[in-house]
Amino acid sequence: MRIITGIYKGRHFDIPRSFKARPTTDFAKENIFNVLNGYMDFDGAVALDLFSGTGSISLELLSRGCQQVVSVEADRDHYAFIRQCLQKLNDDRCIAVRGDVFRFLKSCHQQFDLVFADPPYALKELPSIPSLVFERGLLKPEGIFVFEHGKDHNFADHPHFVEHRSYGSVNFSIFR
């Protein structure tokens, strides 16, 4: 796993072979961040990374200047890996939370400039996640929600949908 740009540009982290998570490819990650640059300034932003997996997105957000990143991951080993990466960077701007994303969403009262969610593509609750983010009021007024999903889902009819981007088998829907 590689950090693409920012203060940690080029840093690599070896993901254990036993991991079930599929990190967002460098190609897809680089392209979606290029798109996001047109929507927001990462410098000083507050971000939420749901279903963090390997922490790839959280680390990229920190590298690009986010003031704070909350990284939520349920899997014990993935959570430990994220913490290990943060320790290697000696960066305390990320709050790693080990827990169920849906429980976290119910209890979260903070608002964010950016919410990024990359749930398992087979998750049965996947279609409900965009509505949950908006119902819980997680975004600041000009906030952006980026939702990574498989090709089988289309969110164009969602009232907050802005655009869809596809990079190979990786799909992103952007909401505002």
Side-chain angles (χ1 to χ4, degrees), residues 61-172:
L61 289 166
L62 290 172
S63 185
R64 289 171 184 252
C66 282
Q67 173 187 321
Q68 181 189 54
V69 177
V70 178
S71 180
V72 183
E73 175 54 47
D75 184 276
R76 176 180 42 97
D77 295 334
H78 297 184
Y79 167 79
F81 179 76
I82 293 167
R83 301 258 315 169
Q84 181 184 50
C85 292
L86 293 169
Q87 287 172 343
K88 286 180 182 174
L89 294 176
N90 195 25
D91 195 319
D92 62 357
R93 294 175 295 144
C94 184
I95 300 167
V97 176
R98 180 173 174 235
D100 177 76
V101 165
F102 296 100
R103 282 192 183 144
F104 178 85
L105 290 175
K106 285 180 184 174
S107 65
C108 182
H109 299 291
Q110 186 175 355
Q111 287 193 315
F112 301 90
D113 298 295
L114 173 70
V115 175
F116 190 101
D118 179 11
Y121 289 0
L123 186 72
K124 68 178 171 77
E125 299 94 347
L126 186 142
S128 69
I129 294 170
S131 293
L132 281 173
V133 167
F134 287 96
E135 287 166 11
R136 296 296 308 155
L138 295 177
L139 289 176
K140 291 181 180 178
E142 294 300 312
I144 300 291
F145 172 48
V146 179
F147 191 44
E148 185 175 334
H149 56 86
K151 66 182 185 310
D152 299 335
H153 292 90
N154 181 348
F155 295 95
D157 291 338
H158 192 281
H160 294 280
F161 177 83
V162 177
E163 71 173 293
H164 173 262
R165 296 290 178 119
S166 178
Y167 306 104
S169 62
V170 180
N171 290 266
F172 295 100

Side-chain angles (χ1 to χ4, degrees), residues 11-84:
R11 294 286 300 262
H12 286 266
F13 298 92
D14 294 323
I15 300 169
R17 294 187 191 275
S18 61
F19 272 27
K20 302 173 289 253
R22 51 151 182 77
T24 304
T25 64
D26 283 353
F27 175 74
K29 183 167 62 170
E30 184 169 8
N31 280 289
I32 196 61
F33 272 95
N34 286 340
V35 170
L36 289 175
N37 280 331
Y39 283 98
M40 65 178 292
D41 182 5
F42 292 100
D43 220 22
V46 178
L48 173 62
D49 182 11
L50 300 171
F51 305 96
S52 299
T54 61
S56 172
I57 298 298
S58 292
L59 297 175
E60 192 70 39
L61 289 166
L62 290 172
S63 185
R64 289 171 184 252
C66 282
Q67 173 187 321
Q68 181 189 54
V69 177
V70 178
S71 180
V72 183
E73 175 54 47
D75 184 276
R76 176 180 42 97
D77 295 334
H78 297 184
Y79 167 79
F81 179 76
I82 293 167
R83 301 258 315 169
Q84 181 184 50

